[in-house]
């Protein structure tokens, strides 16, 4: 059955089909696989080809810096555009396609580039595309999914992200001899995933809305935390927890190669094993936590526990001197990641200020997810410089991530719209 979105401002009541949920999961997996493969492995490998010895950790922040700006502006702008798009295909579909296409173009630039400038420019395009696609795609949850199913769908989205994190380093093991394949293979599923998802629902064009001027453009970046405090607390909590997540994702490979002194092949194998362990643990905890959250109708205690587990895993990794200890830290981190992803989107859907602006508001909220991926490496040199350690103080980076995650876990407590 092909579903049709409700009119703007109308809460969905019809349960979504299994086909919709599975194809939604597949597209989220495809987008995240394309986005996270460079962060986890391929960008570090590429930097190993062009960076001076010992400069990879610092050069990583330089390359990712342009994406910080893209991540900041793209999600709310494209979210607002999708809220207002009057295409006969609906509000969301066009921007999902455009975003995935831009991601592919940016990955080609990164694959063929031979300078830090080229890599930064490519990452800028990738971040614009990823945020455009996810801003529209995330809006499908409040557009179509009723409250009674949001815990389950949020859990499925967490599983999709976990599988994407596993797929990136696993596939990279077999594509390191060709830069183009190394960057594009993780993206290759996007077109097919789009076609499958689009067959499951009919999207409404935007209804008439007031003209969109320069002042409205500026407002796309803002939801008042004073007027909507629950949204503000949820935003801050996710931003801080995702700072911890960003340090785990971005610096695993460099920690293995530079801190544990593993060669590239062994580091990739260990990274793939780490992601396998994290994925298995994450999926198990996601399924259980999503079911439990729907059952008890509570989100905040689950998010609090998740942030603390993320922090504990990062501290274990920071003190790791062997591969087994590193993998234990990854498993503990995976528990937190799984629990967090199980309820994250359900909590977000509960605190959205205006049902008529879900795309714009989710675009603003998406900044809390994607901005840490880029800003974390930008400020990492502050932690890398502690103690003047040769090659950078990588354990300090993971400890900083743990501190961010702990604070983010407790920030969720003042939220009132959900328990």
């Amino acid at each position: 059955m092909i579903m049709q979105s409700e009119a703007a401002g109308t809460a969905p009541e019809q349960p979504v089909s299994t086909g919709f949920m599975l194809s939604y999961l597949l597209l989220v997996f495809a987008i995240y696989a394309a986005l996270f493969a460079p962060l986890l492995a391929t960008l570090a490998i590429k930097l190993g080809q062009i960076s001076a010895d010992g400069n990879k950790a610092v050069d990583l922040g330089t390359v990712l810096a342009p994406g910080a700006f893209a991540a900041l502006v793209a999600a709310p702008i494209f979210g607002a555009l999708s809220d207002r798009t009057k295409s006969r295909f609906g509000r969301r579909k066009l921007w999902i396609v455009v975003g995935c296409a831009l991601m592919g173009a940016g990955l080609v630039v990164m694959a063929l580039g031979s300078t830090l400038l080229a890599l930064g420019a490519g990452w800028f395009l990738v971040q614009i595309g990823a945020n455009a696609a996810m801003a529209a795609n995330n809006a499908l949850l409040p557009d179509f999914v009723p409250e009674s199913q949001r815990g389950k769908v949020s859990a499925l989205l967490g599983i999709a992200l976990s599988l994407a994190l596993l797929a990136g380093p696993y596939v990279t093991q077999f594509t390191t001899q060709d830069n183009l394949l190394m960057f594009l293979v993780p993206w290759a599923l996007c077109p097919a995933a789009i076609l499958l998802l689009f067959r499951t629902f009919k999207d409404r064009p935007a209804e008439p809305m007031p003209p969109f001027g320069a002042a409205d453009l500026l407002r796309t970046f803002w939801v008042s935390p004073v007027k909507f405090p629950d949204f503000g607390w949820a935003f801050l909590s996710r931003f801080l927890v995702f700072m911890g997540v960003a340090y785990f994702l971005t610096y695993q490979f460099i920690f293995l190669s530079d801190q544990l002194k593993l060669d590239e092949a062994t580091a990739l194998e260990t990274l793939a094993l780490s992601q396998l362990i994290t994925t298995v643990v994450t999926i198990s905890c996601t399924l259980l936590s999503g079911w439990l959250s729907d059952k008890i109708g509570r989100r905040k205690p689950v998010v609090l526990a998740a942030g603390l587990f993320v922090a504990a895993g990062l501290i274990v990794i920071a003190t790791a001197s062997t591969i087994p200890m590193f993998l234990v830290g990854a498993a503990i981190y995976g528990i937190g990641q799984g629990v967090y992803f199980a309820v994250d989107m359900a909590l977000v859907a509960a605190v959205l200020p205006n049902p008529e602006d879900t795309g714009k508001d989710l675009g603003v909220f998406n900044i809390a997810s994607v901005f840490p991926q880029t800003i974390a490496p930008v400020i990492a040199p502050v932690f890398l410089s502690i103690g003047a350690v040769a090659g950078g103080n990588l354990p300090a980076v993971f400890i900083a991530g743990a501190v961010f995650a702990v604070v983010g876990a407790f920030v969720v407590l003042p939220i009132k719209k959900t328990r």
Side-chain angles (χ1 to χ4, degrees):
M1 179 178 65
I2 297 177
M3 300 179 299
Q4 182 165 312
S5 61
E6 302 289 344
T10 303
E13 298 180 357
Q14 178 185 348
V16 295
S17 66
T18 301
F20 173 85
M21 285 191 284
L22 292 178
S23 55
Y24 193 29
L25 180 152
L26 183 64
L27 181 56
V28 171
F29 166 82
I31 294 172
Y32 277 130
L35 179 65
F36 284 124
L39 283 171
L40 283 166
T42 54
L43 184 52
I45 293 172
K46 183 78 175 186
L47 286 173
Q49 301 169 6
I50 64 176
S51 294
D53 290 342
N55 282 0
K56 279 194 298 184
V58 174
D59 286 347
L60 182 63
T62 301
V63 169
L64 296 181
F69 177 75
L72 179 65
V73 303
I77 287 178
F78 284 103
L81 287 174
S82 73
D83 283 338
R84 295 169 177 270
T85 297
K86 297 180 180 180
S87 164
R88 64 187 181 91
F89 299 109
R91 296 186 293 172
R92 315 300 183 190
K93 291 182 176 181
L94 172 65
W95 301 110
I96 293 173
V97 172
V98 169
C100 287
L102 282 174
M103 287 186 74
L107 291 167
V108 170
V109 172
M110 295 177 75
L112 300 180
S114 57
T115 65
L116 296 182
L117 179 61
L119 291 178
W123 186 245
F124 181 85
L125 286 176
V126 169
Q127 283 283 17
I128 290 178
N131 282 275
M134 289 307 300
N137 198 54
N138 286 343
L140 296 180
L141 189 144
D143 281 355
F144 287 99
V145 182
E147 175 63 31
S148 61
Q149 287 185 304
R150 287 180 181 174
K152 182 187 296 183
V153 174
S154 182
L156 286 175
L157 297 181
I159 291 173
L161 175 54
S162 300
L163 292 174
L165 293 172
L166 172 63
Y170 179 79
V171 171
T172 300
Q173 295 180 89
F174 308 105
T175 58
T176 55
Q177 300 306 311
D178 187 311
N179 281 338
L180 200 57
L181 289 177
M182 188 170 68
F183 279 91
L184 282 182
V185 166
W187 172 88
L189 186 60
C190 285
I194 288 172
L195 290 175
L196 286 174
L197 177 62
F198 285 5
R199 289 171 60 90
T200 65
F201 73 95
K202 184 177 181 181
D203 194 16
R204 286 180 180 270
E207 296 180 1
M209 299 180 72
F212 191 72
D216 299 291
L217 178 62
L218 293 176
R219 280 194 290 268
T220 62
F221 300 102
W222 180 251
V223 174
S224 171
V226 176
K227 188 175 181 181
F228 303 105
D230 283 351
F231 186 92
W233 287 117
F235 182 99
L236 181 60
S237 175
R238 185 195 271 197
F239 175 83
L240 292 170
V241 172
F242 269 63
M243 284 292 289
V245 171
Y247 281 124
F248 175 79
L249 297 179
T250 307
Y251 284 93
Q252 279 187 94
F253 183 83
I254 295 178
F255 186 92
L256 291 169
S257 62
D258 292 15
Q259 183 73 18
L260 299 189
K261 307 300 182 184
L262 305 181
D263 59 69
E264 181 180 291
T266 306
L268 272 175
E269 291 173 2
T270 306
L271 178 61
L273 180 57
S274 167
Q275 290 304 138
L276 176 61
I277 292 171
T278 303
T279 299
V280 171
V281 173
T282 295
I283 291 176
S284 301
C285 293
T286 296
L287 291 171
L288 177 60
S289 301
W291 172 84
L292 181 63
S293 178
D294 279 344
K295 189 76 173 177
I296 66 176
R298 297 175 69 89
R299 316 293 190 196
K300 292 194 295 185
V302 182
V303 173
L304 174 61
L308 296 179
F309 270 104
V310 167
L314 292 173
I315 290 173
V316 172
I317 291 173
T319 58
S321 57
T322 64
I323 292 175
M325 190 172 179
F326 178 89
L327 295 176
V328 169
I332 296 172
Y333 165 89
I335 295 172
Q337 178 175 271
V339 174
Y340 190 86
F341 290 160
V343 299
D344 179 45
M345 282 302 295
L347 183 144
V348 172
V351 301
L352 291 175
N354 186 353
E356 295 184 0
D357 290 324
T358 55
K360 187 270 288 184
D361 292 339
L362 281 170
V364 173
F365 209 97
N366 198 46
I367 294 173
S369 302
V370 299
F371 195 47
Q373 300 160 20
T374 304
I375 197 63
V378 173
I379 66 173
V382 174
F383 311 120
L384 290 166
S385 65
I386 295 174
V389 179
N393 191 337
L394 288 164
V397 171
F398 285 89
I399 292 172
V403 173
F404 282 122
V406 168
V407 177
F410 282 97
V411 164
V412 78
L413 294 179
I415 295 174
K416 296 179 179 179
K417 278 189 177 180
T418 188
R419 294 187 299 160

